[in-house]
Amino acid sequence: MQGSATGEGRRACLQRLAVALCAGGGPWLGARAQGVRAESLAVLYPEIGEPFRAIFAKILEGIDDRLQARVLRVAVPAEADMAGLAADMQRREPKLVIALGRAGLRLASVLDRRIEVVAGGVISPSEAEARDATVHSLAPDPLLLMQRLKGLLPGVKRVSVAYSARHSAWLMRFAQDAARQLGLELQAQEVGDLKAALRHYQEFFAQASPQHALWLPQDPLSVDESTVLPLVLQESWNHGVPLFSSNLGHVRRGALFALYPNNLELGRSLGGSALARLAGNAGPRSALPLRDVHAALNTRTASHLGLDLSPRLQQAFELLLPER
């Protein structure tokens, strides 16, 4: 269903979708076996080009797999008529929507407040979004990141990270808990602008040692791609400091490792969260870090840091870079 459809076109599209939902006894019975009817759910996802289209397609595949039903899907164009789409949605009377990406969340935000929302495909949910929905962020869980760090480099004692309150304050609460669990000291420095971020990194490298590690979150203010990233990549190499990231692209450029989304499993988690919310078994609405992850390792950086690139170590990562 496209955002540009109007009037009879919208109604015809919804009628075709209703027929499609009721076809195929296997998936339909599977949904009912879990106490959920397919028409109780809808998925809102962005209408977007490649490579992002393939990412959301894999998330949708995981949702369908977990729900064991093909539920109503609504593609939301960037310039969508939100009021028209919302009116169509509310005529369907879903009990819950799974909102993917910013476009999905924008549409979910104008629906009737009685409709439950489970969201995913965003990195930094706002306070309002986290308050109104269960949001599965694309930001990797700090506990998984730090566990991976400890597994590779057990001698590391301290992790430093610069972050902005707007983008990453919610994630730092998880990071502090993770550090305590693993016996690490977390130095989390809030920065308000690029100048403050650069000052933090300069001070960090002035006193860094191999027992210190630097974490780069998905924060556009504290991890500016054009200014900050080249600096920290060069300085971490020069000082022999482990640099790990929440962004796969940073491993391609020289960071030691990163965690990145397993999109199929993320879709399954979103489906499971939707079922739990409908059954009244879900916890409080909040933002949740990503636990459905793959791991990437830069073997050149690992060798530079003195890691033994044994077959067992390499098999623990889904992606090895640079690719041969």
Side-chain angles (χ1 to χ4, degrees):
M1 174 176 163
Q2 306 299 318
S4 59
T6 58
E8 292 184 1
R10 282 202 196 98
R11 287 192 289 273
C13 182
L14 288 173
Q15 287 168 358
R16 289 194 298 272
L17 285 164
V19 171
L21 286 174
C22 293
W28 173 255
L29 292 173
R32 294 192 65 181
Q34 298 177 67
V36 176
R37 295 179 64 85
E39 69 266 27
S40 300
L41 291 159
V43 181
L44 320 177
Y45 66 98
E47 185 180 87
I48 195 168
E50 297 294 2
F52 302 106
R53 182 194 300 272
I55 292 171
F56 284 104
K58 189 59 70 172
I59 295 173
L60 289 166
E61 181 184 339
I63 291 171
D64 288 346
D65 182 66
R66 180 64 181 87
L67 297 178
Q68 288 294 292
R70 179 70 177 270
V71 300
L72 174 66
R73 293 181 179 182
V74 179
V76 185
E79 302 299 325
D81 170 15
M82 291 296 181
L85 283 176
D88 284 341
M89 284 294 305
Q90 287 175 186
R91 279 194 289 271
R92 296 283 301 178
E93 298 182 340
K95 293 182 179 178
L96 181 144
V97 297
I98 300 176
L100 300 180
R102 286 289 163 200
L105 272 169
R106 283 199 304 272
L107 178 53
S109 71
V110 298
L111 296 177
D112 190 305
R113 303 278 291 186
R114 290 171 294 183
I115 298 173
E116 294 274 4
V117 178
V118 170
V122 296
I123 295 172
S124 302
S126 68
E127 288 187 16
E129 289 165 347
R131 184 174 59 249
D132 296 339
T134 301
V135 183
H136 293 249
S137 169
L138 292 177
D141 191 328
L143 180 61
L144 299 182
L145 283 162
M146 294 184 201
Q147 285 174 335
R148 182 74 60 157
L149 175 69
K150 291 281 285 185
L152 289 171
L153 295 159
V156 170
K157 305 298 182 186
R158 180 185 302 165
V159 173
S160 180
V161 58
Y163 72 96
S164 66
R166 175 184 176 187
H167 295 285
S168 305
W170 72 275
L171 189 63
M172 291 305 119
R173 293 190 286 272
F174 290 93
Q176 292 288 0
D177 288 343
R180 280 193 292 269
Q181 288 184 49
L182 297 173
L184 291 168
E185 178 187 351
L186 180 68
Q187 294 182 327
Q189 178 64 51
E190 182 182 339
V191 295
D193 54 33
L194 179 58
K195 184 178 179 180
L198 286 169
R199 184 167 58 250
H200 166 79
Y201 293 118
Q202 289 164 351
E203 292 172 353
F204 169 80
F205 286 113
Q207 56 184 344
S209 77
Q211 290 188 326
H212 299 171
L214 185 62
W215 167 30
L216 300 181
Q218 292 162 300
D219 191 310
L221 192 153
S222 68
V223 190
D224 174 79
E225 295 281 327
S226 61
T227 305
V228 167
L229 186 59
L231 169 70
V232 298
L233 286 169
Q234 187 62 56
E235 291 298 307
S236 62
W237 182 272
N238 292 344
H239 289 81
V241 171
L243 174 69
F244 65 100
S245 179
S246 300
N247 186 328
L248 173 60
H250 296 170
V251 180
R252 299 187 188 280
R253 295 180 64 175
L256 176 60
F257 76 89
L259 301 181
Y260 61 100
N262 178 335
N263 295 307
L264 182 66
E265 288 302 322
L266 172 57
R268 290 175 177 143
S269 292
L270 286 164
S273 184
L275 291 173
R277 179 65 63 189
L278 284 172
N281 298 327
R285 295 170 181 81
S286 64
L288 303 172
L290 180 70
R291 295 191 61 82
D292 301 303
V293 296
H294 289 312
L297 177 73
N298 187 302
T299 55
R300 180 171 177 266
T301 302
S303 295
H304 179 70
L305 293 173
L307 291 177
D308 178 13
L309 291 173
S310 65
R312 181 177 180 182
L313 183 149
Q314 294 183 53
Q315 288 167 7
F317 291 84
E318 283 77 19
L319 181 61
L320 299 175
L321 297 166
E323 294 172 308
R324 298 184 180 130

